[in-house]
Amino acid sequence: MASPDLRRIEVATAPPYTVFIGRGALSLLPEWLLENLPGRRLALVTDAAVDRLHGAAVRERLRSARIAVETVVVEPGEAHKTRRTKEQIEDVLIEAGISRDAAIVALGGGVVTDLGGFAAATYMRGIPWVAVPTTLLGMVDAAIGGKTGVNHPRGKNLIGALHQPAAVIADVDLLATLPEVEYRSGLAEVIKAGIIDDAVLFDLLAAEPARVLAREPALLEEVIARACEVKARVVAEDASEVDRRQILNFGHTVGHALEQVSGHAVRHGEAISIGMVAESRLAVGAGILDPAHAEAIEAAIAALGLPVRLTGPLPGLSVEALLEAARVDKKSRAGRIVCVFPRRIGTMARGERGHGIPLDEDLLREVVAGLGGPAGSP
Amino acid sequence: MASPDLRRIEVATAPPYTVFIGRGALSLLPEWLLENLPGRRLALVTDAAVDRLHGAAVRERLRSARIAVETVVVEPGEAHKTRRTKEQIEDVLIEAGISRDAAIVALGGGVVTDLGGFAAATYMRGIPWVAVPTTLLGMVDAAIGGKTGVNHPRGKNLIGALHQPAAVIADVDLLATLPEVEYRSGLAEVIKAGIIDDAVLFDLLAAEPARVLAREPALLEEVIARACEVKARVVAEDASEVDRRQILNFGHTVGHALEQVSGHAVRHGEAISIGMVAESRLAVGAGILDPAHAEAIEAAIAALGLPVRLTGPLPGLSVEALLEAARVDKKSRAGRIVCVFPRRIGTMARGERGHGIPLDEDLLREVVAGLGGPAGSP
């Protein structure tokens, strides 16, 4: 089988692994598994929507390479990224007699890779897993770095593990069928990658929003590879997430809180777009970021069709609700909320105790009032 | 606070940690936490039986050191080492607002340390935990090595993680109140430690069974320290459990199957005692172990009041049931059951592919027939 011409990004975590990016990358999957999976047996974790689009083709590829496949189809959507769904995966694997020499292949968006990776992390104390993201968000963010987990009614990703995938296979062709709203949601993480660590990527997106939105394959490969490189650099510098990795949370303190308060009615990409704009303003207010850079960030986000503020009232949104959501989230330190801020596009600020900078609540109150949410909100 | 004169065993895993052993070791807990726990906040995971005996005293010690304590009391017993109980722990921690700078202290037997350690492994992708074992089994086995997890209806410890404790505090005084049957159950793992890696320890137990059963404190400290050293050596040599760590499974392939088939009516210590005798016979049958050593193993186990065969019929026990239990257990490789065998007391055999040696099913059939179980069994 001739491998297509793929980009390879090495993620230097312990253990290290490769992200393969390109059109037709999926054809590499059976080859990679035969070389790296002694048991020739795997569980394919996917969701019902992805299974309809790609399930049969992937299974056919694997079976013609004589790899035994057990499929677990979970319900699609963030609402199903739960401990209960993880149990469902475990029960199927155990009933099927999957042993420690098998692996999990997670085929889907971030929900599926988070679930599949977490199930692999704790199945018989850990088996390998391969991420095959089918969304832009999954390719540039969810699948790289080993963060796996499930949500809790009180907050996102509260239960989980760091468990690096053995490989990530990002086939750009799979994005052709991705709904527009999901594609834009992924673009939010791509912009974030530019803001936190790659000014060239940011400029590329800001200069060519129409070509990006048209999904031009060559541009898309370049953009995905650059965003993956940012993520790979950051997680390799700090696999245990002690400090450097916090910069990936840009936009996420406010963003996660919006998702939480809205019961996930505000999607991840939209929430962190609004979150990045809000946190840029906090950075300006704290004297860390030049207002011109904050404006450039807002303009680039808007040009890619992503929201920069709430489009309608969000009942229940208040500074207190946001602080509470951030508190039960993992972004607090001895009770204080910490945030990460750019000091210019492409470079994040460092405070006395590293990248996490404690939040000024008065400033937050002002910025939340400006989110365009509930008129009567504090 | 004057620290008592404690033995310290360094476990050279990544990260490394210390096992503190001795009478009054518990007094070290607040001191250790203040030095190593920036958040001064922890969740104390224990079970109802241990809580009645030691809970109030431990909380009092911690509170007088100004450490905030949230207590989670779980139901005692192996039957409650489940995913549901882990969820209970997680829910309490989240409701209490325990953040990533807190830790879990697991106070109890192996069930509690397995549960508390596993909850710590996946809480916000991993927080530190300290093991404070209250049983002999917990001190010499469950708390050291980072194996944490819960049972599945289909098998023991099928869901779990390797998550090393930040410290283990083994206070020999706590063993004074331990019921005789639990004490003997722990002795089974102590004998195992001798057989697999410390002939001096084995001889000590074999020579002085009466003093061991009388729980003479000085002898007990020596015996516990030696057994801990064996465990510490083995897990440090092979923290990821690829090969060397398998030797800890001596007696456990047959033993776990007996627990499983009996629905845990056969206790862990009894099961692995019978398992060690059975697997010694398998080793003799395979020409690996001298029959005289197998007899010495059986005699030492019997002298400590532990069973060497089933005392009554065990409905459902058959070679097939045993093979099935071992298969869903983690001790199979591409469908074949592997076992580890001593080649003499104190030293384990190595086969072509390491310590795990595939089992001869005919030999197993013979040995199972001799377990003293069901008369009409195959």
Side-chain angles (χ1 to χ4, degrees):
Chain A
M1 177 187 306
S3 278
D5 189 25
L6 301 175
R7 290 170 192 251
R8 286 157 195 252
I9 294 171
E10 303 302 325
V11 187
T13 46
Y17 56 95
T18 306
V19 183
F20 301 91
I21 302 165
R23 304 188 65 178
L26 201 54
S27 66
L28 187 76
L29 180 64
E31 204 178 297
W32 187 93
L33 289 167
L34 287 176
E35 247 174 65
N36 295 279
L37 191 72
R40 293 199 169 204
R41 180 145 199 225
L42 60 83
L44 180 70
V45 174
T46 189
D47 72 31
V50 172
D51 193 47
R52 270 193 300 277
L53 282 171
H54 308 295
V58 170
R59 273 188 294 276
E60 185 43 42
R61 270 180 206 275
L62 295 168
R63 280 174 186 155
S64 46
R66 295 194 188 163
I67 296 168
V69 183
E70 191 70 36
T71 304
V72 191
V73 179
V74 303
E75 290 295 311
E78 190 77 32
H80 297 282
K81 204 176 95 173
T82 60
R83 294 178 289 194
R84 208 56 80 244
T85 305
K86 175 174 177 267
E87 288 192 2
Q88 179 202 336
I89 297 170
E90 291 161 354
D91 291 348
V92 172
L93 267 59
I94 290 168
E95 287 302 321
I98 297 282
S99 61
R100 304 186 77 179
D101 50 7
I104 286 178
V105 171
L107 172 74
V111 167
V112 167
T113 53
D114 279 8
L115 268 169
F118 188 31
T122 69
Y123 189 72
M124 297 187 173
R125 292 193 206 101
I127 61 172
W129 72 291
V130 174
V132 185
T134 58
T135 64
L136 179 57
L137 182 61
M139 291 180 189
V140 301
D141 188 50
I144 304 173
K147 276 194 179 182
T148 69
V150 296
N151 300 329
H152 184 272
R154 292 285 304 270
K156 282 189 72 174
N157 299 319
L158 291 183
I159 311 298
L162 270 186
H163 186 48
Q164 304 295 339
V168 178
I169 295 180
D171 189 335
V172 175
D173 284 343
L174 301 185
L175 299 183
T177 52
L178 194 65
E180 185 63 17
V181 59
E182 287 220 41
Y183 180 69
R184 290 190 192 195
S185 185
L187 285 180
E189 288 287 349
V190 176
I191 300 174
K192 187 200 75 179
I195 296 168
I196 66 173
D197 202 41
D198 185 351
V200 173
L201 172 58
F202 180 86
D203 291 344
L204 199 61
L205 297 165
E208 304 273 16
R211 287 179 59 209
V212 172
L213 286 172
R215 310 187 198 185
E216 282 190 15
L219 180 62
L220 205 51
E221 262 191 40
E222 172 71 11
V223 157
I224 291 171
R226 279 194 166 270
C228 286
E229 271 165 9
V230 168
K231 183 94 193 251
R233 266 200 302 277
V234 173
V235 300
E237 281 165 3
D238 180 20
S240 66
E241 201 187 356
V242 179
D243 180 49
R244 178 78 180 152
R245 193 166 181 152
Q246 289 187 75
I247 70 171
L248 296 169
N249 287 335
F250 177 57
H252 284 59
T253 303
V254 172
H256 272 181
L258 291 177
E259 288 177 272
Q260 191 62 25
V261 169
S262 72
H264 299 283
V266 180
R267 302 173 67 90
H268 182 70
E270 295 164 357
I272 69 154
S273 293
I274 300 167
M276 286 190 285
V277 172
E279 293 176 21
S280 296
R281 281 185 205 153
L282 288 170
V284 171
I288 293 170
L289 181 69
D290 189 306
H293 283 239
E295 280 159 32
I297 289 170
E298 182 166 340
I301 290 172
L304 289 170
L306 285 161
V308 294
R309 54 184 59 78
L310 290 167
T311 48
L314 179 53
L317 178 65
S318 66
V319 169
E320 285 64 36
L322 201 144
L323 290 174
E324 172 63 13
R327 192 183 62 79
V328 299
D329 200 354
K330 294 167 299 304
K331 294 170 192 70
S332 70
R333 188 197 281 155
R336 291 206 68 183
I337 313 300
V338 293
C339 240
V340 292
F341 297 120
R343 66 185 168 85
R344 61 168 183 269
I345 287 166
T347 307
M348 297 301 279
R350 287 181 62 90
E352 279 168 25
R353 294 187 55 187
H355 285 290
I357 295 169
L359 203 55
D360 180 303
E361 290 195 16
D362 288 337
L363 207 52
L364 181 67
R365 202 168 293 276
E366 243 175 70
V367 167
V368 169
L371 281 178
S377 192
Chain B
M1 177 186 307
S3 278
D5 188 26
L6 301 176
R7 290 170 193 252
R8 285 158 195 250
I9 294 170
E10 304 301 325
V11 187
T13 45
Y17 55 95
T18 305
V19 183
F20 301 90
I21 302 165
R23 305 188 65 178
L26 202 53
S27 66
L28 187 76
L29 180 64
E31 205 178 296
W32 187 93
L33 289 167
L34 287 176
E35 247 173 66
N36 295 279
L37 191 71
R40 291 198 171 206
R41 180 144 197 225
L42 61 82
L44 180 70
V45 175
T46 189
D47 72 32
V50 172
D51 192 47
R52 270 192 300 277
L53 282 171
H54 308 296
V58 170
R59 274 189 294 277
E60 185 42 42
R61 271 180 206 274
L62 295 169
R63 279 172 188 157
S64 45
R66 295 193 189 163
I67 295 168
V69 183
E70 191 70 36
T71 304
V72 192
V73 179
V74 304
E75 290 295 310
E78 190 77 34
H80 297 283
K81 204 176 97 173
T82 60
R83 293 178 290 193
R84 209 54 82 246
T85 305
K86 176 174 177 265
E87 287 192 2
Q88 179 203 337
I89 298 170
E90 291 162 354
D91 292 348
V92 172
L93 267 60
I94 290 168
E95 287 303 321
I98 298 281
S99 62
R100 304 185 77 179
D101 51 6
I104 285 178
V105 171
L107 173 73
V111 167
V112 168
T113 52
D114 279 8
L115 268 169
F118 188 31
T122 69
Y123 188 71
M124 297 188 172
R125 293 194 207 100
I127 60 173
W129 73 289
V130 175
V132 184
T134 58
T135 65
L136 180 57
L137 182 61
M139 291 181 189
V140 300
D141 187 50
I144 305 173
K147 277 193 179 182
T148 69
V150 296
N151 300 329
H152 184 274
R154 293 286 305 269
K156 282 189 72 172
N157 298 320
L158 291 184
I159 311 300
L162 269 186
H163 185 49
Q164 304 296 339
V168 179
I169 294 180
D171 188 336
V172 175
D173 284 343
L174 301 184
L175 299 182
T177 52
L178 194 66
E180 185 62 19
V181 60
E182 287 220 41
Y183 179 70
R184 291 191 190 195
S185 185
L187 284 180
E189 288 286 350
V190 176
I191 301 174
K192 186 201 76 179
I195 296 169
I196 66 173
D197 203 41
D198 185 351
V200 173
L201 172 58
F202 180 87
D203 291 344
L204 198 61
L205 297 166
E208 303 273 15
R211 286 179 60 211
V212 173
L213 286 172
R215 309 186 197 185
E216 282 190 15
L219 181 62
L220 205 50
E221 263 191 40
E222 173 72 12
V223 157
I224 291 171
R226 280 194 166 269
C228 286
E229 272 167 7
V230 168
K231 183 95 193 249
R233 266 200 302 276
V234 173
V235 301
E237 281 164 5
D238 179 23
S240 65
E241 202 187 354
V242 180
D243 181 50
R244 179 78 179 153
R245 193 165 180 152
Q246 289 188 74
I247 70 170
L248 296 169
N249 287 335
F250 176 57
H252 284 59
T253 304
V254 171
H256 273 181
L258 291 176
E259 288 177 272
Q260 192 63 23
V261 169
S262 72
H264 299 282
V266 179
R267 301 174 67 90
H268 182 71
E270 295 164 355
I272 69 152
S273 293
I274 299 167
M276 288 189 284
V277 172
E279 292 176 21
S280 297
R281 282 185 205 154
L282 288 170
V284 171
I288 293 169
L289 182 69
D290 189 305
H293 283 239
E295 281 159 30
I297 288 170
E298 181 167 341
I301 290 171
L304 289 169
L306 285 161
V308 294
R309 55 185 58 80
L310 290 166
T311 49
L314 179 53
L317 178 66
S318 67
V319 170
E320 285 64 35
L322 201 144
L323 289 174
E324 172 64 11
R327 192 182 62 79
V328 299
D329 199 354
K330 294 168 298 308
K331 294 170 192 70
S332 70
R333 189 197 280 157
R336 290 205 68 181
I337 313 300
V338 292
C339 240
V340 292
F341 297 119
R343 66 184 167 86
R344 61 169 183 267
I345 287 166
T347 308
M348 297 300 278
R350 288 181 60 90
E352 278 166 26
R353 295 187 55 187
H355 286 290
I357 294 169
L359 203 55
D360 180 303
E361 291 196 16
D362 288 338
L363 208 53
L364 181 68
R365 203 168 291 276
E366 242 175 71
V367 167
V368 170
L371 283 177
S377 193

